[in-house]
Amino acid sequence: MAQQLNITRLPAPAVPVLPVAASYDEHRGRQTPLIIDNGSTTLRFGFCTSSEPRCQPNIVSKYKERRTNKPLLLFGDGVEAEGGAKSQAKTPWEGDVLLNFDALENALDYAFIQLGIDAPTVEHPVLMTERLCSPLHSRGLTSELMFEQYSVPSLAFCVDSVLSFYHNNLPSPPVPFTSDGLVISFNSASTSVIPIMNGKGIMSHAKRIPWGANQATDYLLKLIQLKYPTFPTRVTATQTNWMLQNFCEFATDYTSLLRTLKDPLKMREAERIIQFSFTLPVTEEKTEEELARIAERKKEQGRKLQEIAARTRMEKLVQKENDLQYMLSLRERREEENKKQWTNTLQEEGFDDDAALDSAIKKLENDLKKARKKETDGDEQEVGEPPSFPLLDVPDADDGLKEKRKQRLLKAGYDARERAKREKEREREEREAEERREEEERDRDLSGWASKLRKEQETIMNKIKERNRRRAALTDRKSAAAQARMKSIANLAADDRVPKKRRKTGAEDMFGADDADWAIYRKINNAAASSDEEEDLASLQAVEQKLLQYDPSFTHEHTHASLSAQRSALLSAFRPQYDEGDIEGKTRIHLNVERWRVCETWFSPNMAGVDSAGIGEVLQSILSRFPDPEKGRLVKNVFVTGGPSQLPGIVSRLHATLRPILPPEMPLEIVRAADPMLDAWKGMADFAKTDEFKKVGVTKAEYEEWGGERIKRWWGGNWNSSVPIEE
């Protein structure tokens, strides 16, 4: 019942609601700053006076509708609303780099339309986000698009995480921004760390690692595909991202957590079960009359099959009788024909000699006897008298020597069978005597008898365990067993039983002539099963059956099979197995270790095959560049923002990472953004309302004079002076 509480059904896709364009009357002719947070997954846009931005998925699709054959240009939720448009969807971003400017233009068109801007030009200053360390040509092309296509009066770029920090540390009443802190920004395609001193981002010390929410989602999807290679339903990236957001979390001590999860019960408690949709097979319920008719029909079919089989047997019997009569008549012709004619007749009938004909006749007679007996009493087995061999007591003669030799072989076979029967009877008597002695011992001292059998069980299990351990050790070339195996192979290669001269001349290899050779072969052949393995398993099963029958303290949990199953209980807890017909269970995904493993990749990207430092190493590298007084100012306000920062455990994990690399007396405080998804846009809106905003933007006149690479450096952007930068 506790396990059922952890089952969560995969939510159905939400029906997208297409937004309605806003009214432009409020902002017409007022040059209200326009805020655009151009994220790689979500586009957030709106005027700085708005309390909340408008948000849409940052995807564009050029799609031709099948019914009308008209080309459509869809953006955001419109792509999700049209199923055929998803395969054609594109985004302006390629990882962390803005490359698809056609898609960016479509996204900006959508944003301006939704804001209600109906003028031929956008007469509003624009504040737009860009990635940390964005390429200069990307900024230049974006500036060209904004000034040439939309004729904006001014354009400024900022780093989203710095403005999120600004919003959460905004002084009241407004004064110059002078806060200190260390900003850790979790983005869709990367994670960046930016130190801020006196309200100014020190970009020369900032670092970025190529791991973000998109990579974590892909990694979780690969883990699920590896864990469930035959999952009946396709798991999409959207569904995996939902699992990441709802079930994954950061571990304060990942290594210690793995030790805890080695207990199957703990792993069961930690798992979360996602139930995918499934369709039960439709079974038609039949009435009693229909079931009775079906049963009667089956009986009738069975009777017909029996009649057909009986008729077929009778036809075969008649055919055999006809063949026997023909062969008997053929044998009677032997006296009428001469030797040459008789030989030709036999060859024409397909017989080599008289013995072959007699053998065929005898076989037919035996078959007919068995068939007739089966028809009468249903028993194929004939109980006959012991065979007689009269020629064995007669002296050897030339005419009957062949038949006498045949009877001697038959008698030897009969005697061998009789000896085997007597040996089997003797073994049965010994077994019965042993059972009587064991029963007397059990009645006399049950505890002693049970103790002896338990010791025997333990001895056999130790032999099996040692055999398995040695087989596993042979796979490790550095183990003692593997080295001993190689030594045995080397000794066999240097075998001097055949001299080197004879080897060169092709002398016969003498390996196998001695029984010890095969013992060595079994020792060096790790794939060969031991000759005692089957006997040990049979003996172990017999001992356990006796203990289960007579020893009340010995239960199924003490058997070898149960103990072996307990060793594999961890694997069963990691991925429970369902019955073949359990369709509901087959469409479940069990997340346990993956819940923490995916998040751990932010601190150890090499777990996912990415050659990069983790967040801990980046933080240590950045803090090492500052003296202790400045380092203390930074770590007193460690600010975490971005969508993945909402995952549980991030604050405690960062605290456990930073505390060991700081002096004990240095205070450490880690805070999370109030709204990691929208604080960047709100911080940009706050800054756009200040007088300083007018100084950081590049005007259209400056663009026309200096080109798209013109940059005004300021504390929230990627650069910090007003000197133009050339490529």
Side-chain angles (χ1 to χ4, degrees):
M1 188 66 179
Q3 183 179 351
Q4 295 296 323
L5 296 176
N6 290 333
I7 296 179
T8 305
R9 292 195 173 274
L10 193 72
V15 179
V17 178
L18 301 181
V20 180
S23 175
Y24 186 52
D25 296 337
E26 181 184 353
H27 307 286
R28 192 183 302 275
R30 297 188 179 183
Q31 290 198 340
T32 307
L34 186 58
I35 311 302
I36 301 175
D37 184 3
N38 183 26
S40 59
T41 56
T42 305
L43 179 70
R44 304 173 184 90
F45 54 92
F47 292 103
C48 67
T49 54
S50 304
S51 59
E52 295 284 341
R54 288 176 172 250
C55 303
Q56 285 288 314
N58 200 354
I59 52 175
V60 181
S61 178
K62 293 181 179 180
Y63 169 67
K64 182 175 288 188
E65 193 178 14
R66 293 183 179 179
R67 288 175 294 182
T68 61
N69 203 27
K70 292 181 179 180
L72 299 177
L73 180 61
L74 303 177
F75 179 81
D77 287 336
V79 178
E80 300 294 333
E82 190 68 37
K86 294 180 182 179
S87 60
Q88 306 294 330
K90 295 182 180 179
T91 177
W93 296 87
E94 292 290 339
D96 242 12
V97 182
L98 185 62
L99 292 179
N100 192 346
F101 289 92
D102 289 337
L104 176 61
E105 181 180 352
N106 296 329
L108 293 174
D109 287 342
Y110 176 86
F112 297 148
I113 291 172
Q114 287 297 314
L115 292 175
I117 301 176
D118 53 7
T121 60
V122 179
E123 300 174 352
H124 299 273
V126 176
L127 178 60
M128 194 172 184
T129 57
E130 66 177 356
R131 286 289 182 271
L132 178 68
C133 304
S134 293
L136 200 57
H137 74 274
S138 176
R139 168 186 279 234
L141 292 174
T142 306
S143 300
E144 181 180 349
L145 177 64
M146 298 298 290
F147 286 114
E148 299 290 346
Q149 180 71 16
Y150 302 106
S151 299
V152 297
S154 68
L155 175 64
F157 291 95
C158 67
V159 179
D160 53 356
S161 56
V162 177
L163 271 295
S164 177
F165 178 80
Y166 171 78
H167 175 73
N168 284 267
N169 294 272
L170 190 63
S172 181
V175 294
F177 182 60
T178 58
S179 298
D180 302 325
L182 192 63
V183 178
I184 305 176
S185 177
F186 293 85
N187 299 322
S188 297
S190 64
T191 302
S192 57
V193 181
I194 304 173
I196 297 179
M197 297 290 295
N198 298 320
K200 176 181 176 182
I202 307 177
M203 299 304 172
S204 59
H205 292 355
K207 290 185 179 294
R208 183 179 66 188
I209 62 174
W211 189 264
N214 292 343
Q215 289 85 350
T217 300
D218 293 341
Y219 184 54
L220 177 58
L221 180 58
K222 291 177 181 178
L223 292 178
I224 292 174
Q225 291 171 342
L226 182 64
K227 191 173 183 179
Y228 297 93
T230 58
F231 196 69
T233 304
R234 179 174 177 264
V235 183
T236 64
T238 303
Q239 296 167 343
T240 310
N241 185 259
W242 176 83
M243 296 182 208
L244 174 68
Q245 295 175 5
N246 290 274
F247 302 110
C248 294
E249 57 185 270
F250 288 88
T252 304
D253 188 349
Y254 181 68
T255 306
S256 176
L257 175 70
L258 290 182
R259 295 195 192 98
T260 304
L261 294 180
K262 287 176 68 176
D263 184 358
L265 295 178
K266 296 292 184 181
M267 183 173 288
R268 291 278 189 182
E269 293 175 3
E271 76 176 356
R272 298 293 181 269
I273 307 172
I274 297 92
Q275 179 69 63
F276 280 68
S277 59
F278 61 94
T279 303
L280 290 175
V282 179
T283 56
E284 297 181 1
E285 295 185 1
K286 296 179 175 60
T287 62
E288 294 183 0
E289 293 79 4
E290 291 176 340
L291 293 175
R293 285 198 300 270
I294 292 173
E296 184 63 28
R297 194 181 305 120
K298 288 183 178 179
K299 289 182 181 179
E300 184 64 24
Q301 290 175 352
R303 285 194 295 269
K304 288 182 179 180
L305 290 174
Q306 290 176 353
E307 292 175 0
I308 293 173
R311 187 164 57 250
T312 303
R313 287 196 302 270
M314 186 59 65
E315 291 175 356
K316 290 183 178 179
L317 182 62
V318 172
Q319 181 65 34
K320 287 183 179 180
E321 288 179 348
N322 294 335
D323 293 343
L324 179 62
Q325 292 299 326
Y326 178 77
M327 290 184 184
L328 291 175
S329 62
L330 179 66
R331 188 169 60 180
E332 292 176 356
R333 291 170 54 187
R334 180 169 51 185
E335 303 297 335
E336 302 173 358
E337 298 178 355
N338 57 36
K339 189 173 182 181
K340 185 176 181 180
Q341 292 175 340
W342 176 242
T343 303
N344 294 334
T345 301
L346 287 177
Q347 290 179 354
E348 290 176 359
E349 297 295 336
F351 298 105
D352 296 335
D353 51 16
D354 293 346
L357 177 61
D358 295 339
S359 177
I361 293 174
K362 187 174 182 180
K363 184 177 183 303
L364 279 175
E365 289 175 346
N366 292 335
D367 291 344
L368 286 172
K369 286 181 181 179
K370 290 180 181 180
R372 293 191 187 102
K373 191 172 183 60
K374 185 175 180 181
E375 290 293 333
T376 56
D377 56 6
D379 188 8
E380 282 186 334
Q381 301 296 328
E382 290 190 38
V383 181
E385 296 181 358
S388 61
F389 307 100
L391 294 179
L392 296 181
D393 299 328
V394 178
D396 293 345
D398 294 339
D399 54 352
L401 188 61
K402 185 176 180 180
E403 186 65 24
K404 186 176 182 180
R405 189 180 300 113
K406 180 180 179 181
Q407 289 189 7
R408 186 180 292 112
L409 292 174
L410 293 174
K411 185 175 185 305
Y414 175 76
D415 293 341
R417 288 192 296 273
E418 290 297 318
R419 284 195 301 271
K421 290 180 182 179
R422 290 193 297 271
E423 183 67 22
K424 189 176 295 185
E425 182 68 19
R426 184 182 63 80
E427 291 178 356
R428 185 182 63 79
E429 293 175 355
E430 291 180 355
R431 186 166 58 253
E432 291 177 352
E434 180 64 26
E435 290 177 356
R436 286 194 298 269
R437 287 194 298 270
E438 187 175 3
E439 184 177 359
E440 293 174 359
E441 181 182 358
R442 187 169 59 247
D443 294 339
R444 186 172 58 253
D445 184 9
L446 179 61
S447 60
W449 174 84
S451 177
K452 183 178 73 173
L453 258 67
R454 287 202 177 200
K455 289 182 180 178
E456 184 178 353
Q457 181 208 21
E458 184 178 359
T459 302
I460 298 175
M461 286 196 302
N462 288 335
K463 288 173 62 178
I464 295 174
K465 184 178 179 181
E466 178 63 24
R467 190 180 296 118
N468 293 335
R469 186 199 62 78
R470 185 179 181 277
R471 187 179 292 117
L474 287 175
T475 60
D476 183 7
R477 61 185 182 87
K478 294 184 179 180
S479 64
Q483 293 178 0
R485 174 175 176 268
M486 294 304 299
K487 185 176 180 181
S488 300
I489 294 175
N491 291 337
L492 289 176
D495 193 357
D496 56 354
R497 284 178 292 182
V498 178
K500 293 183 179 179
K501 291 183 179 180
R502 293 186 60 194
R503 290 183 195 174
K504 293 180 179 179
T505 58
E508 182 182 1
D509 187 5
M510 299 300 293
F511 180 82
D514 190 356
D515 291 340
D517 294 343
W518 299 107
I520 297 175
Y521 173 74
R522 286 192 295 270
K523 184 177 179 181
I524 66 174
N525 186 11
N526 53 3
S530 173
S531 59
D532 301 331
E533 190 167 0
E534 294 182 1
E535 297 179 5
D536 289 342
L537 291 174
S539 302
L540 181 62
Q541 186 177 6
V543 169
E544 290 177 346
Q545 288 296 330
K546 293 178 182 178
L547 287 170
L548 287 171
Q549 185 176 0
Y550 298 106
D551 187 0
S553 62
F554 188 88
T555 63
H556 285 282
E557 296 180 356
H558 299 91
T559 60
H560 177 258
S562 178
L563 294 174
S564 300
Q566 290 179 8
R567 297 188 189 101
S568 61
L570 184 62
L571 184 60
S572 299
F574 177 71
R575 183 194 169 185
Q577 299 293 327
Y578 291 92
D579 296 334
E580 188 64 30
D582 190 355
I583 300 177
E584 183 178 6
K586 291 287 186 180
T587 52
R588 289 176 182 170
I589 287 180
H590 293 251
L591 294 180
N592 32 59
V593 180
E594 299 86 2
R595 295 178 56 205
W596 293 275
R597 181 175 182 176
V598 173
C599 294
E600 184 64 20
T601 52
W602 265 284
F603 292 85
S604 299
N606 57 341
M607 290 175 55
V610 177
D611 186 13
S612 172
I615 293 179
E617 297 171 80
V618 170
L619 289 171
Q620 186 174 7
S621 174
I622 291 176
L623 292 175
S624 64
R625 301 187 178 191
F626 294 91
D628 284 350
E630 295 181 353
K631 186 187 302 183
R633 291 162 56 187
L634 291 174
V635 299
K636 198 173 181 179
N637 186 15
V638 179
F639 179 75
V640 185
T641 185
S645 67
Q646 301 177 95
L647 296 174
I650 180 61
V651 174
S652 58
R653 178 55 194 272
L654 286 172
H655 193 280
T657 302
L658 286 171
R659 187 70 272 177
I661 63 177
L662 298 175
E665 68 279 359
M666 185 175 292
L668 173 62
E669 185 175 353
I670 303 173
V671 295
R672 196 188 333 229
D675 189 349
M677 304 299 292
L678 298 180
D679 277 356
W681 187 93
K682 292 179 180 179
M684 296 164 66
D686 293 336
F687 176 71
K689 297 173 186 177
T690 64
D691 295 335
E692 188 180 0
F693 170 66
K694 300 176 183 178
K695 303 176 183 178
V696 301
V698 176
T699 64
K700 187 173 182 180
E702 291 174 327
Y703 162 76
E704 292 174 349
E705 181 179 356
W706 297 94
E709 286 75 20
R710 173 67 178 181
I711 295 173
K712 285 189 177 179
R713 309 194 186 200
W714 63 290
W715 56 266
N718 272 306
W719 295 273
N720 294 311
S721 76
S722 58
V723 179
I725 296 182
E726 298 179 358
E727 283 191 276

